[in-house]
Short mmCIF file of all heavy atoms in Angstrom, two decimals:
data_model
loop_
_atom_site.label_atom_id
_atom_site.label_comp_id
_atom_site.label_asym_id
_atom_site.label_seq_id
_atom_site.Cartn_x
_atom_site.Cartn_y
_atom_site.Cartn_z
N ILE A 291 -11.41 15.74 -10.21
CA ILE A 291 -12.26 14.55 -10.26
C ILE A 291 -11.41 13.33 -10.62
O ILE A 291 -11.56 12.25 -10.04
CB ILE A 291 -13.41 14.73 -11.28
CG1 ILE A 291 -14.23 15.98 -10.96
CG2 ILE A 291 -14.28 13.50 -11.35
CD1 ILE A 291 -14.88 15.98 -9.61
N ASP A 292 -10.51 13.50 -11.58
CA ASP A 292 -9.62 12.39 -11.97
C ASP A 292 -8.77 11.93 -10.78
O ASP A 292 -8.60 10.73 -10.57
CB ASP A 292 -8.69 12.82 -13.11
CG ASP A 292 -9.42 12.97 -14.43
OD1 ASP A 292 -10.55 12.45 -14.55
OD2 ASP A 292 -8.86 13.62 -15.35
N VAL A 293 -8.24 12.86 -10.03
CA VAL A 293 -7.41 12.51 -8.86
C VAL A 293 -8.25 11.72 -7.87
O VAL A 293 -7.81 10.67 -7.37
CB VAL A 293 -6.81 13.78 -8.21
CG1 VAL A 293 -6.18 13.44 -6.86
CG2 VAL A 293 -5.80 14.43 -9.12
N LEU A 294 -9.43 12.20 -7.58
CA LEU A 294 -10.27 11.52 -6.59
C LEU A 294 -10.68 10.13 -7.06
O LEU A 294 -10.80 9.21 -6.25
CB LEU A 294 -11.52 12.36 -6.30
CG LEU A 294 -11.25 13.70 -5.60
CD1 LEU A 294 -12.53 14.52 -5.50
CD2 LEU A 294 -10.64 13.48 -4.24
N ARG A 295 -10.90 9.97 -8.35
CA ARG A 295 -11.33 8.67 -8.87
C ARG A 295 -10.17 7.68 -9.02
O ARG A 295 -10.36 6.48 -8.85
CB ARG A 295 -12.01 8.84 -10.23
CG ARG A 295 -13.38 9.43 -10.14
CD ARG A 295 -14.02 9.50 -11.49
NE ARG A 295 -15.36 10.08 -11.39
CZ ARG A 295 -16.02 10.59 -12.40
NH1 ARG A 295 -15.47 10.62 -13.61
NH2 ARG A 295 -17.22 11.09 -12.24
N ASN A 296 -8.99 8.17 -9.36
CA ASN A 296 -7.90 7.28 -9.74
C ASN A 296 -6.91 6.96 -8.63
O ASN A 296 -6.11 6.04 -8.79
CB ASN A 296 -7.14 7.86 -10.94
CG ASN A 296 -8.04 7.93 -12.17
OD1 ASN A 296 -8.84 7.03 -12.40
ND2 ASN A 296 -7.90 8.99 -12.95
N PHE A 297 -6.93 7.70 -7.53
CA PHE A 297 -5.96 7.45 -6.47
C PHE A 297 -6.68 7.09 -5.18
O PHE A 297 -7.68 7.72 -4.81
CB PHE A 297 -5.07 8.69 -6.24
CG PHE A 297 -4.17 8.97 -7.42
CD1 PHE A 297 -4.57 9.83 -8.43
CD2 PHE A 297 -2.93 8.36 -7.49
CE1 PHE A 297 -3.74 10.08 -9.51
CE2 PHE A 297 -2.09 8.61 -8.58
CZ PHE A 297 -2.50 9.47 -9.59
N LYS A 298 -6.17 6.09 -4.49
CA LYS A 298 -6.75 5.68 -3.21
C LYS A 298 -6.12 6.52 -2.11
O LYS A 298 -4.91 6.53 -1.93
CB LYS A 298 -6.47 4.21 -2.95
CG LYS A 298 -7.21 3.28 -3.89
CD LYS A 298 -6.95 1.84 -3.50
CE LYS A 298 -7.71 0.90 -4.40
NZ LYS A 298 -7.49 -0.49 -4.02
N PHE A 299 -6.98 7.18 -1.35
CA PHE A 299 -6.49 8.03 -0.27
C PHE A 299 -6.55 7.35 1.08
O PHE A 299 -5.76 7.59 1.95
CB PHE A 299 -7.26 9.35 -0.22
CG PHE A 299 -6.98 10.22 -1.41
CD1 PHE A 299 -7.85 10.27 -2.48
CD2 PHE A 299 -5.84 10.97 -1.46
CE1 PHE A 299 -7.58 11.06 -3.57
CE2 PHE A 299 -5.55 11.78 -2.56
CZ PHE A 299 -6.43 11.81 -3.62
N ASP A 300 -7.55 6.52 1.29
CA ASP A 300 -7.71 5.85 2.58
C ASP A 300 -8.23 4.45 2.30
O ASP A 300 -9.39 4.27 1.96
CB ASP A 300 -8.69 6.61 3.48
CG ASP A 300 -8.80 5.99 4.85
OD1 ASP A 300 -7.90 5.22 5.24
OD2 ASP A 300 -9.78 6.26 5.54
N ASP A 301 -7.37 3.47 2.44
CA ASP A 301 -7.77 2.09 2.19
C ASP A 301 -8.12 1.46 3.53
O ASP A 301 -7.26 0.94 4.24
CB ASP A 301 -6.63 1.34 1.50
CG ASP A 301 -7.10 0.06 0.86
OD1 ASP A 301 -8.32 -0.14 0.75
OD2 ASP A 301 -6.25 -0.75 0.50
N SER A 302 -9.38 1.52 3.90
CA SER A 302 -9.83 1.02 5.19
C SER A 302 -9.67 -0.50 5.26
O SER A 302 -9.94 -1.19 4.28
CB SER A 302 -11.30 1.37 5.43
OG SER A 302 -11.47 2.76 5.36
N PRO A 303 -9.27 -1.04 6.40
CA PRO A 303 -9.10 -2.49 6.51
C PRO A 303 -10.43 -3.25 6.43
O PRO A 303 -10.44 -4.41 6.10
CB PRO A 303 -8.45 -2.66 7.87
CG PRO A 303 -8.76 -1.43 8.63
CD PRO A 303 -8.89 -0.33 7.61
N ASP A 304 -11.54 -2.58 6.69
CA ASP A 304 -12.84 -3.29 6.66
C ASP A 304 -13.46 -3.30 5.28
O ASP A 304 -14.55 -3.83 5.08
CB ASP A 304 -13.80 -2.69 7.68
CG ASP A 304 -14.22 -1.27 7.34
OD1 ASP A 304 -13.69 -0.71 6.36
OD2 ASP A 304 -15.09 -0.74 8.04
N GLY A 305 -12.82 -2.69 4.29
CA GLY A 305 -13.35 -2.71 2.94
C GLY A 305 -14.52 -1.77 2.73
O GLY A 305 -15.25 -1.89 1.76
N GLY A 306 -14.72 -0.85 3.64
CA GLY A 306 -15.80 0.13 3.47
C GLY A 306 -17.13 -0.30 4.03
O GLY A 306 -18.16 0.26 3.70
N SER A 307 -17.15 -1.33 4.89
CA SER A 307 -18.41 -1.75 5.50
C SER A 307 -18.92 -0.71 6.47
O SER A 307 -18.17 0.14 6.95
CB SER A 307 -18.22 -3.07 6.26
OG SER A 307 -17.84 -4.09 5.38
N LEU A 308 -20.19 -0.78 6.76
CA LEU A 308 -20.78 0.15 7.73
C LEU A 308 -20.16 -0.08 9.10
O LEU A 308 -19.85 -1.22 9.46
CB LEU A 308 -22.29 -0.08 7.81
CG LEU A 308 -23.09 0.25 6.57
CD1 LEU A 308 -24.54 -0.16 6.76
CD2 LEU A 308 -23.01 1.73 6.28
N PRO A 309 -20.00 0.99 9.89
CA PRO A 309 -19.47 0.80 11.23
C PRO A 309 -20.44 -0.03 12.07
O PRO A 309 -21.65 0.13 11.98
CB PRO A 309 -19.32 2.22 11.78
CG PRO A 309 -20.10 3.09 10.87
CD PRO A 309 -20.27 2.37 9.58
N GLY A 310 -19.91 -0.93 12.84
CA GLY A 310 -20.76 -1.73 13.72
C GLY A 310 -21.24 -3.02 13.08
O GLY A 310 -22.03 -3.75 13.65
N GLY A 311 -20.80 -3.33 11.89
CA GLY A 311 -21.18 -4.58 11.26
C GLY A 311 -22.47 -4.47 10.46
O GLY A 311 -22.95 -3.39 10.15
N VAL A 312 -23.02 -5.62 10.17
CA VAL A 312 -24.24 -5.69 9.36
C VAL A 312 -25.44 -5.36 10.23
O VAL A 312 -25.59 -5.90 11.33
CB VAL A 312 -24.38 -7.11 8.76
CG1 VAL A 312 -25.65 -7.22 7.95
CG2 VAL A 312 -23.18 -7.45 7.91
N PRO A 313 -26.35 -4.47 9.75
CA PRO A 313 -27.51 -4.13 10.57
C PRO A 313 -28.49 -5.30 10.66
O PRO A 313 -28.54 -6.16 9.79
CB PRO A 313 -28.14 -2.95 9.82
CG PRO A 313 -27.67 -3.10 8.42
CD PRO A 313 -26.32 -3.75 8.49
N GLU A 314 -29.25 -5.30 11.73
CA GLU A 314 -30.28 -6.32 11.93
C GLU A 314 -31.40 -6.11 10.92
O GLU A 314 -31.68 -4.98 10.54
CB GLU A 314 -30.85 -6.22 13.35
CG GLU A 314 -29.86 -6.60 14.44
CD GLU A 314 -29.51 -8.07 14.43
OE1 GLU A 314 -30.41 -8.89 14.16
OE2 GLU A 314 -28.34 -8.39 14.65
N PRO A 315 -32.06 -7.18 10.51
CA PRO A 315 -33.19 -6.99 9.59
C PRO A 315 -34.33 -6.27 10.30
O PRO A 315 -34.46 -6.37 11.52
CB PRO A 315 -33.58 -8.42 9.20
CG PRO A 315 -33.02 -9.29 10.26
CD PRO A 315 -31.82 -8.59 10.81
N PRO A 316 -35.16 -5.55 9.55
CA PRO A 316 -36.27 -4.83 10.19
C PRO A 316 -37.29 -5.82 10.74
O PRO A 316 -37.39 -6.96 10.27
CB PRO A 316 -36.87 -4.01 9.03
CG PRO A 316 -36.47 -4.74 7.80
CD PRO A 316 -35.15 -5.37 8.10
N PRO A 317 -38.07 -5.39 11.72
CA PRO A 317 -39.08 -6.29 12.27
C PRO A 317 -40.17 -6.57 11.24
O PRO A 317 -40.40 -5.79 10.32
CB PRO A 317 -39.65 -5.51 13.47
CG PRO A 317 -39.35 -4.09 13.16
CD PRO A 317 -38.07 -4.09 12.36
N GLY A 318 -40.82 -7.70 11.38
CA GLY A 318 -41.89 -8.08 10.47
C GLY A 318 -43.12 -7.21 10.66
O GLY A 318 -43.19 -6.39 11.58
N PRO A 319 -44.10 -7.36 9.79
CA PRO A 319 -45.32 -6.54 9.89
C PRO A 319 -46.09 -6.87 11.17
O PRO A 319 -46.12 -8.02 11.61
CB PRO A 319 -46.12 -6.92 8.65
CG PRO A 319 -45.59 -8.25 8.24
CD PRO A 319 -44.15 -8.30 8.69
N THR A 320 -46.69 -5.85 11.75
CA THR A 320 -47.44 -6.05 12.99
C THR A 320 -48.94 -5.91 12.79
O THR A 320 -49.71 -6.17 13.68
CB THR A 320 -47.00 -5.03 14.06
OG1 THR A 320 -47.18 -3.72 13.53
CG2 THR A 320 -45.54 -5.23 14.42
N SER A 321 -49.36 -5.48 11.59
CA SER A 321 -50.78 -5.23 11.38
C SER A 321 -51.60 -6.51 11.34
O SER A 321 -52.81 -6.48 11.48
CB SER A 321 -51.01 -4.45 10.09
OG SER A 321 -50.55 -5.21 8.99
N MET A 322 -50.97 -7.65 11.16
CA MET A 322 -51.71 -8.90 11.06
C MET A 322 -51.71 -9.69 12.37
O MET A 322 -52.12 -10.83 12.41
CB MET A 322 -51.12 -9.78 9.94
CG MET A 322 -51.24 -9.16 8.56
SD MET A 322 -52.92 -8.80 8.07
CE MET A 322 -53.55 -10.45 7.89
N GLN A 323 -51.24 -9.10 13.43
CA GLN A 323 -51.24 -9.78 14.71
C GLN A 323 -52.61 -9.60 15.36
O GLN A 323 -53.11 -8.50 15.49
CB GLN A 323 -50.15 -9.23 15.61
CG GLN A 323 -48.75 -9.52 15.07
CD GLN A 323 -47.67 -8.89 15.90
OE1 GLN A 323 -47.94 -8.10 16.79
NE2 GLN A 323 -46.43 -9.22 15.61
N PHE A 324 -53.19 -10.72 15.74
CA PHE A 324 -54.53 -10.69 16.32
C PHE A 324 -54.48 -11.11 17.79
O PHE A 324 -53.62 -11.88 18.20
CB PHE A 324 -55.46 -11.67 15.58
CG PHE A 324 -55.63 -11.35 14.13
CD1 PHE A 324 -55.01 -12.11 13.16
CD2 PHE A 324 -56.42 -10.28 13.73
CE1 PHE A 324 -55.16 -11.82 11.83
CE2 PHE A 324 -56.58 -9.99 12.40
CZ PHE A 324 -55.95 -10.76 11.44
N GLU A 325 -55.44 -10.60 18.52
CA GLU A 325 -55.62 -11.13 19.86
C GLU A 325 -56.41 -12.42 19.71
O GLU A 325 -56.76 -12.82 18.60
CB GLU A 325 -56.39 -10.11 20.71
CG GLU A 325 -55.59 -8.83 20.95
CD GLU A 325 -56.35 -7.84 21.81
OE1 GLU A 325 -57.31 -8.26 22.49
OE2 GLU A 325 -55.98 -6.68 21.80
N ASN A 326 -56.73 -13.05 20.77
CA ASN A 326 -57.48 -14.30 20.71
C ASN A 326 -58.88 -14.00 20.18
O ASN A 326 -59.71 -13.41 20.87
CB ASN A 326 -57.56 -14.95 22.08
CG ASN A 326 -56.20 -15.45 22.54
OD1 ASN A 326 -55.35 -15.74 21.72
ND2 ASN A 326 -56.00 -15.53 23.84
N VAL A 327 -59.14 -14.41 18.95
CA VAL A 327 -60.45 -14.24 18.34
C VAL A 327 -61.06 -15.61 18.22
O VAL A 327 -60.47 -16.54 17.67
CB VAL A 327 -60.33 -13.58 16.94
CG1 VAL A 327 -61.68 -13.45 16.30
CG2 VAL A 327 -59.65 -12.23 17.06
N ARG A 328 -62.27 -15.72 18.72
CA ARG A 328 -62.94 -17.01 18.69
C ARG A 328 -63.77 -17.13 17.42
O ARG A 328 -64.24 -16.15 16.86
CB ARG A 328 -63.82 -17.15 19.92
CG ARG A 328 -62.98 -17.13 21.21
CD ARG A 328 -63.79 -17.29 22.44
NE ARG A 328 -64.71 -18.42 22.28
CZ ARG A 328 -65.73 -18.63 23.08
NH1 ARG A 328 -65.97 -17.81 24.07
NH2 ARG A 328 -66.52 -19.66 22.89
N LEU A 329 -63.95 -18.36 16.98
CA LEU A 329 -64.72 -18.64 15.78
C LEU A 329 -66.15 -18.14 15.92
O LEU A 329 -66.73 -17.61 14.95
CB LEU A 329 -64.70 -20.15 15.49
CG LEU A 329 -65.43 -20.61 14.25
CD1 LEU A 329 -64.84 -19.96 13.01
CD2 LEU A 329 -65.39 -22.12 14.12
N GLU A 330 -66.71 -18.21 17.11
CA GLU A 330 -68.09 -17.75 17.33
C GLU A 330 -68.20 -16.25 17.06
O GLU A 330 -69.19 -15.78 16.49
CB GLU A 330 -68.56 -18.07 18.76
CG GLU A 330 -68.75 -19.54 19.05
CD GLU A 330 -67.44 -20.23 19.42
OE1 GLU A 330 -66.43 -19.57 19.71
OE2 GLU A 330 -67.43 -21.48 19.38
N GLU A 331 -67.17 -15.49 17.46
CA GLU A 331 -67.19 -14.05 17.23
C GLU A 331 -67.11 -13.73 15.74
O GLU A 331 -67.81 -12.83 15.24
CB GLU A 331 -66.03 -13.38 17.97
CG GLU A 331 -66.13 -13.50 19.49
CD GLU A 331 -64.85 -13.09 20.20
OE1 GLU A 331 -63.81 -12.96 19.53
OE2 GLU A 331 -64.91 -12.91 21.42
N VAL A 332 -66.29 -14.46 15.02
CA VAL A 332 -66.18 -14.25 13.58
C VAL A 332 -67.50 -14.58 12.90
O VAL A 332 -68.00 -13.83 12.05
CB VAL A 332 -65.02 -15.11 12.99
CG1 VAL A 332 -65.01 -15.03 11.47
CG2 VAL A 332 -63.69 -14.67 13.56
N MET A 333 -68.09 -15.70 13.26
CA MET A 333 -69.37 -16.11 12.66
C MET A 333 -70.47 -15.10 12.97
O MET A 333 -71.32 -14.81 12.12
CB MET A 333 -69.77 -17.51 13.14
CG MET A 333 -68.83 -18.61 12.65
SD MET A 333 -68.67 -18.66 10.86
CE MET A 333 -70.29 -19.18 10.38
N ALA A 334 -70.48 -14.54 14.17
CA ALA A 334 -71.49 -13.53 14.53
C ALA A 334 -71.33 -12.29 13.65
O ALA A 334 -72.33 -11.72 13.19
CB ALA A 334 -71.36 -13.17 16.01
N GLN A 335 -70.11 -11.87 13.38
CA GLN A 335 -69.88 -10.72 12.52
C GLN A 335 -70.29 -11.00 11.07
O GLN A 335 -70.86 -10.14 10.40
CB GLN A 335 -68.40 -10.31 12.56
CG GLN A 335 -67.97 -9.71 13.90
CD GLN A 335 -68.72 -8.43 14.21
OE1 GLN A 335 -68.89 -7.57 13.35
NE2 GLN A 335 -69.19 -8.30 15.44
N ILE A 336 -70.02 -12.22 10.60
CA ILE A 336 -70.43 -12.59 9.24
C ILE A 336 -71.95 -12.60 9.14
O ILE A 336 -72.52 -12.13 8.15
CB ILE A 336 -69.83 -13.96 8.86
CG1 ILE A 336 -68.32 -13.83 8.69
CG2 ILE A 336 -70.47 -14.51 7.58
CD1 ILE A 336 -67.59 -15.14 8.48
N LEU A 337 -72.63 -13.11 10.15
CA LEU A 337 -74.10 -13.12 10.15
C LEU A 337 -74.65 -11.71 10.14
O LEU A 337 -75.60 -11.40 9.39
CB LEU A 337 -74.62 -13.90 11.36
CG LEU A 337 -76.13 -14.00 11.51
CD1 LEU A 337 -76.73 -14.74 10.31
CD2 LEU A 337 -76.49 -14.72 12.80
N GLN A 338 -74.08 -10.82 10.93
CA GLN A 338 -74.54 -9.43 10.95
C GLN A 338 -74.31 -8.77 9.59
O GLN A 338 -75.17 -8.04 9.09
CB GLN A 338 -73.81 -8.64 12.05
CG GLN A 338 -74.26 -7.21 12.18
CD GLN A 338 -75.74 -7.09 12.52
OE1 GLN A 338 -76.24 -7.78 13.40
NE2 GLN A 338 -76.46 -6.23 11.81
#
Side-chain angles (χ1 to χ4, degrees):
I291 304 300
D292 289 343
V293 169
L294 294 174
R295 286 183 180 162
N296 295 322
F297 292 92
K298 292 183 178 181
F299 291 99
D300 184 19
D301 197 12
S302 302
D304 67 355
S307 297
L308 294 174
V312 178
E314 292 292 322
T320 57
S321 62
M322 297 301 292
Q323 294 176 351
F324 299 106
E325 294 181 19
N326 292 334
V327 178
R328 297 181 49 195
L329 181 60
E330 292 83 14
E331 295 168 347
V332 173
M333 293 304 292
Q335 290 298 316
I336 291 173
L337 180 61
Q338 183 60 47

